[in-house]
Amino acid sequence: GNHSNSFIHEKKIVNVAHRGASGYAPEHTIPAYQMGEQMKGDYIEIDLQMTKDGRLVAMHDEKVDRTTNGTGLVKDLTLAEIKKLDAGTWFNEKYPQLAKEVYEGLKVPTLEEVFKKFGKKANYYIETKSPDVYPGMEEELLQVLEEYKMVDSKGRTKNVLIQSFSKESLMKVHDLNPKLPLVQLFSYKNQATISDEELESIKEYAVGVGPNFSKVDGQYVKMVRNHDLQFHPYTVNERADMKKALEWGATGLFTNYPDVFNEVLNEY
Ligand code: G3P
Ligand code: CA
């Protein structure tokens, strides 16, 4: 392939800190990402939404309601408005046993702030969320990647993977920069199967697939690996499931508990 991501080359199983170490700290906040690094997660997972004034912020939902003290759609709020919100107190209220005073008043980070904080040595697994809601999101993402030197002059990267449920969004990224390694996400409602034809077409633009773990089986993984695509299921939080994923041939996984996954990996 034309990707240069070191983990994929080295065949190391990748431990992706899903929304940061979001089992322990409020998702998509700097402390959650820091904890992901401390727990030796290989990648910081970042979901992207875009503000009214065109800035990329780390947030899972299209609305700010669940993970902040605000209400409304990200697309209707400016970055300045989003910066007024508290992105940590909800977590303390929902998980009193995990609550920490430092989570109070945390801000929603921009993608740029995350890059500033963690730099080029960290690895980022970045998802374009709701790309249909945010025209220009892919162009903005590529511009930020360039500005923070996450890609070199030839467009190559050592530390970024781009993921999306939207094939269209991935194709846009691919057209803008064919060197960026991409992962096609899937959300299956029923037990999943995938065909050689589908996998061949994915292989034309992506380096891997990321389905929901609960709907796949060993046969699915075999198909994916036969096409030499990476297999990164989400979101795998239970030890037994982590083991199962490894036995099936997963090349990495998304987890809210990167520390637990490292324990499982060390047993192997
Ligand atoms: O990106 C992999 C996984 O995170 C997809 O599900 O809803 O947690 O973004 P979601
Ligand atoms: Ca995600």
Side-chain angles (χ1 to χ4, degrees):
N2 55 10
H3 53 82
S4 56
N5 255 253
S6 52
F7 289 121
I8 292 173
H9 277 312
E10 289 162 19
K11 297 197 167 67
K12 181 190 185 296
I13 307 275
V14 299
N15 185 341
V16 185
H18 182 245
R19 312 182 193 179
S22 60
Y24 302 104
E27 65 182 65
H28 294 313
T29 62
I30 297 295
Y33 296 155
Q34 277 173 325
M35 220 176 272
E37 280 207 325
Q38 282 157 13
M39 293 177 172
K40 308 249 184 293
D42 299 309
Y43 281 85
I44 297 172
E45 198 239 357
I46 306 172
D47 296 315
L48 292 181
Q49 307 280 344
M50 199 159 82
T51 65
K52 191 178 177 183
D53 46 345
R55 304 292 297 279
L56 296 172
V57 291
M59 188 172 288
H60 178 272
D61 301 357
E62 282 175 38
K63 284 180 161 186
V64 301
D65 301 45
R66 182 177 59 86
T67 56
T68 75
N69 61 344
T71 55
L73 295 163
V74 174
K75 75 170 178 65
D76 295 332
L77 298 166
T78 62
L79 181 60
E81 286 168 329
I82 285 177
K83 281 294 182 186
K84 288 188 191 134
L85 306 177
D86 175 336
T89 297
W90 71 273
F91 182 89
N92 286 350
E93 287 166 359
K94 190 166 178 196
Y95 306 105
Q97 71 286 8
L98 297 170
K100 288 187 185 168
E101 239 173 67
V102 291
Y103 298 159
E104 284 171 26
L106 287 173
K107 303 272 182 256
V108 173
T110 61
L111 179 61
E112 297 190 41
E113 287 165 347
V114 179
F115 286 165
K116 262 183 227 160
K117 177 80 192 171
F118 296 95
K120 282 172 65 172
K121 288 211 175 96
N123 299 299
Y124 306 94
Y125 207 134
I126 302 171
E127 180 177 354
T128 55
K129 278 269 182 226
S130 317
D132 40 321
V133 176
Y134 307 117
M137 156 180 244
E138 293 82 7
E139 286 83 356
E140 176 64 15
L141 170 57
L142 266 76
Q143 203 173 311
V144 175
L145 289 176
E146 276 174 33
E147 194 178 328
Y148 286 82
K149 308 252 188 303
M150 297 296 167
V151 293
D152 69 15
S153 58
K154 297 205 170 93
R156 297 172 303 199
T157 182
K158 286 195 166 67
N159 60 332
V160 173
L161 276 171
I162 309 292
Q163 45 160 343
S164 191
F165 287 102
S166 164
K167 177 176 178 179
E168 212 184 316
S169 182
L170 291 178
M171 294 304 291
K172 255 183 216 169
V173 172
H174 190 68
D175 287 345
L176 291 164
N177 179 353
K179 301 256 169 80
L180 283 177
L182 310 177
V183 171
Q184 177 69 61
L185 299 175
F186 291 103
S187 175
Y188 295 108
K189 298 230 155 49
N190 303 305
Q191 194 62 34
T193 57
I194 195 158
S195 67
D196 286 316
E197 292 70 29
E198 278 175 272
L199 287 161
E200 269 162 41
S201 106
I202 292 165
K203 182 97 189 186
E204 284 172 22
Y205 62 92
V207 302
V209 300
N212 43 329
F213 176 77
S214 62
K215 293 291 187 276
V216 295
D217 57 16
Q219 179 56 27
Y220 185 104
V221 184
K222 207 184 242 176
M223 291 286 290
V224 172
R225 297 298 294 137
N226 278 345
H227 287 260
D228 205 26
L229 283 159
Q230 303 298 309
F231 177 76
H232 295 165
Y234 66 89
T235 304
V236 190
N237 291 330
E238 299 292 335
R239 237 170 250 272
D241 289 338
M242 291 169 178
K243 285 184 192 165
K244 211 194 275 179
L246 291 174
E247 276 156 22
W248 287 344
T251 52
L253 54 77
F254 295 85
T255 181
N256 298 346
Y257 302 94
D259 54 341
V260 175
F261 188 40
N262 273 325
E263 283 174 19
V264 169
L265 282 170
N266 288 334
E267 288 161 16
Y268 265 70

